[in-house]
Amino acid sequence: MARMRVLVVDDEPGMLEVCRDTLGELPSVDVEIEQQSARAAQRLATESWDLLISDVRMPGIGGIELLGIARRHDPDLPVLMLTAYPAVETAVESMKLGAADYITKPFLPDDLLAKVRRILEHKSLREENQLLRRHIERRYAFGDMIGRSPGMLKIFDDIKQVAASDVDVLIFGETGTGKELVARCVHDRSRRSGSRFVPVDCGAIPEDLLESEFFGHERGAFTGANSRSLGLLEFAAHGTLFLDEIGHLPLKLQAKLLRAIQERRIRRVGGTGEFDVDVRVVAATSLDLDEAVRQQRFRADLFYRINVARIKLPALRDRQEDIPLLASHFTARYAHDMGRSGVELDAEAVEVLCHYPWPGNVRELQNVVKRVLAMNRTELIRVEDLPDEIVAGAGVLSDRDQQGFFELREQHVASFERQHLIQLLQNHGGDVSAATAEARLPRGTLYRLLKKHDLNPADFRS
């Protein structure tokens, strides 16, 4: 395992010696000291570090300024501030700039050890989580979609099959399930990927403009038509036209759209001649079109024409095993957009998300994660940071004294971990490298689990 490097900066030689001697007790940690903050700033710019410990008040470059320098060169570098001036303003300022914690001088060596150990362990865990997240997202990503549930793996297979052909496609799914993402995946994997993908929300265009929007118009076709205008079908020529919520189209336009799709020929509003248009149509709906056809709210012939290839997206509540993947992905994505790093969801928060029914599906989960990050500045998102309606809807109380479910779960997880580790070591005769390969875990993670369960690989060697 690589050794971790800690840089301690203080203008008092005695404090530097105390820190070096105290932190020297930590295994796999190299401690280096600097009395000159200007020299420390140079080293922060040119060397890699796992932790910076800096005094707040120093001649020349002060601790707050040094903190800013450190964060500019390495946004993920944790910083512990030392201060003999326990002013609230100093602590708040340093934490706003990204300090992991601060400690007031004079301090007990055990207090310093505890804080540094916690910070380094969190940094190590965060890096392992980032590595695992990248591995998981590469393994379970399909275009801009993520999933490992049987339902989503089938969707990925369906997209591959449909994209290879040039038939029209109808995508079913509740609001927020990702129908446009599926349509884009179909387009990106088709022979039309080099041409336009044109999305249209059929429920957002005023009814009196629908025909002109779809087919275009000639100059003078109606009041205000001062020039010729292309329609969406013509604009999407050689590419893909995505008709979102096609069930909201009025019957009059459904008839004209049917003819255009059947013949791949259109006439602009106010025009006299028709012309060919080469376009693939992918439609989507959250409505039950079979029922709409029976109630004569949707034309049966148009339904049969676009329902050549059919993809039905599962609701998020029916793909529960994808929720941790999606939550982790959105957390990393929006934390990055907000200029933050190392933000994680703790296990209990993920458990609550998994038990919530998500009536708004993936879009609702996406918005909840964004809201939590906007309202919370800590690096670890806990149950109490989640919106009340999510916790209540999950049927889980946030009071720790009433979380027997989670305690029981931890017992089962611990039992599984121990039995699985024993089986791995037995299978490979105590060979940790082989066990690591089979478990698909980083070597450091496996060693930590072995230590947690008091298992010695040597006991399994012949």
Side-chain angles (χ1 to χ4, degrees):
M1 182 176 178
R3 297 182 66 83
M4 306 190 85
R5 302 184 70 215
V6 176
L7 177 63
V8 183
V9 187
D10 198 304
D11 60 321
E12 300 178 22
M15 181 56 62
L16 291 175
E17 293 300 324
V18 168
C19 289
R20 181 165 60 184
D21 293 344
T22 300
L23 299 179
E25 299 179 21
L26 294 173
S28 302
V29 173
D30 292 327
V31 181
E32 299 193 31
I33 58 175
E34 280 291 346
Q35 190 175 350
Q36 300 295 325
S37 57
R39 169 63 182 161
Q42 294 175 355
R43 298 190 66 181
L44 287 168
T46 57
E47 301 178 45
S48 295
W49 302 94
D50 294 290
L51 172 63
L52 168 65
I53 301 176
S54 174
D55 189 19
V56 171
R57 295 199 176 185
M58 296 181 291
I61 299 176
I64 299 296
E65 186 180 354
L66 193 63
L67 167 63
I69 293 171
R71 300 292 288 181
R72 283 198 299 273
H73 289 292
D74 183 358
D76 294 327
L77 178 66
V79 180
L80 175 65
M81 305 300 295
L82 305 176
T83 177
Y85 306 90
V88 173
E89 294 79 5
T90 302
V92 170
E93 184 179 359
S94 65
M95 299 296 274
K96 281 183 178 179
L97 285 171
D101 204 344
Y102 75 101
I103 188 169
T104 303
K105 299 188 290 186
F107 49 78
L108 295 174
D110 285 348
D111 290 341
L112 178 64
L113 275 175
K115 285 183 180 289
V116 170
R117 185 181 289 112
R118 178 184 59 79
I119 292 172
L120 292 179
E121 286 178 351
H122 184 264
K123 183 177 189 295
S124 179
L125 181 61
R126 185 178 66 204
E127 289 174 346
E128 288 182 8
N129 286 341
Q130 289 172 344
L131 175 63
L132 288 172
R133 182 189 294 125
R134 290 196 300 270
H135 173 72
I136 288 171
E137 290 186 2
R138 282 196 300 268
R139 185 176 179 187
Y140 297 115
F142 189 86
D144 290 331
M145 294 183 292
I146 294 174
R148 61 182 176 188
S149 62
M152 287 308 295
L153 295 179
K154 182 182 183 303
I155 293 296
F156 298 161
D157 287 338
D158 290 344
I159 291 172
K160 292 175 186 176
Q161 293 291 329
V162 168
S165 66
D166 203 37
V167 299
D168 295 332
V169 184
L170 182 58
I171 304 168
F172 288 88
E174 295 178 8
T175 299
T177 50
K179 297 185 288 295
E180 183 170 342
L181 288 179
V182 172
R184 288 185 182 275
C185 272
V186 170
H187 172 77
D188 291 343
R189 284 163 174 73
S190 72
R191 67 175 181 81
R192 298 176 179 270
S193 59
S195 300
R196 293 188 183 96
F197 175 87
V198 182
V200 184
D201 185 346
C202 296
I205 304 175
E207 187 170 340
D208 57 340
L209 296 179
L210 276 169
E211 186 174 354
S212 173
E213 287 292 315
F214 272 92
F215 305 111
H217 62 260
E218 297 290 350
R219 179 181 180 184
F222 50 83
T223 303
N226 298 321
S227 62
R228 187 177 70 181
S229 175
L230 297 181
L232 292 167
L233 281 157
E234 189 175 355
F235 184 68
H238 309 297
T240 301
L241 179 66
F242 173 55
L243 303 177
D244 195 12
E245 295 300 347
I246 192 172
H248 293 304
L249 282 179
L251 286 168
K252 180 181 177 182
L253 189 64
Q254 289 179 27
K256 294 187 177 183
L257 180 62
L258 170 64
R259 184 172 182 275
I261 293 175
Q262 282 180 329
E263 300 180 10
R264 290 313 198 253
R265 292 179 63 80
I266 62 173
R267 178 192 293 123
R268 298 191 188 103
V269 175
T272 57
E274 292 186 337
F275 54 92
D276 295 335
V277 59
D278 174 24
V279 65
R280 182 183 198 174
V281 175
V282 177
T285 181
S286 59
L287 302 177
D288 183 346
L289 287 190
D290 293 283
E291 181 62 25
V293 168
R294 284 193 289 272
Q295 295 181 5
Q296 298 185 348
R297 291 185 290 107
F298 197 85
R299 292 182 62 105
D301 45 7
L302 177 58
F303 175 62
Y304 299 140
R305 183 65 188 79
I306 60 176
N307 193 26
V308 180
R310 183 174 183 141
I311 297 177
K312 184 170 177 58
L313 276 170
L316 185 56
R317 61 183 171 275
D318 297 327
R319 41 182 290 219
Q320 196 178 71
E321 55 264 64
D322 291 336
I323 293 175
L325 283 175
L326 290 165
S328 176
H329 170 74
F330 291 140
T331 299
R333 172 180 165 185
Y334 293 123
H336 179 270
D337 291 346
M338 296 176 187
R340 299 166 60 186
S341 61
V343 183
E344 303 284 345
L345 290 159
D346 83 348
E348 291 184 1
V350 172
E351 196 72 32
V352 168
L353 297 179
C354 288
H355 281 78
Y356 182 72
W358 299 110
N361 292 292
V362 178
R363 186 179 298 134
E364 184 182 7
L365 172 61
Q366 191 173 357
N367 290 335
V368 165
V369 170
K370 189 185 296 186
R371 188 189 348 163
V372 168
L373 290 173
M375 301 300 293
N376 191 292
R377 302 302 298 178
T378 62
E379 290 189 346
L380 189 63
I381 304 300
R382 304 178 185 278
V383 173
E384 51 266 32
D385 301 318
L386 299 177
D388 291 342
E389 65 270 21
I390 300 298
V391 178
V396 179
L397 298 174
S398 60
D399 182 7
R400 290 184 175 270
D401 293 336
Q402 302 183 49
Q403 286 182 353
F405 169 81
F406 291 115
E407 294 171 1
L408 184 61
R409 181 204 61 190
E410 288 301 322
Q411 293 173 13
H412 284 286
V413 169
S415 177
F416 162 76
E417 286 179 353
R418 181 175 177 81
Q419 292 303 316
H420 188 60
L421 291 169
I422 290 173
Q423 189 64 53
L424 283 171
L425 293 173
Q426 288 176 342
N427 290 346
H428 299 286
D431 187 334
V432 174
S433 297
T436 299
E438 182 181 338
R440 298 180 183 176
L441 286 173
R443 191 181 183 92
T445 300
L446 187 64
Y447 271 119
R448 186 160 53 252
L449 288 171
L450 291 174
K451 182 178 179 180
K452 172 184 173 182
H453 294 285
D454 195 25
L455 295 173
N456 187 348
D459 296 338
F460 296 84
R461 296 180 185 132
S462 301

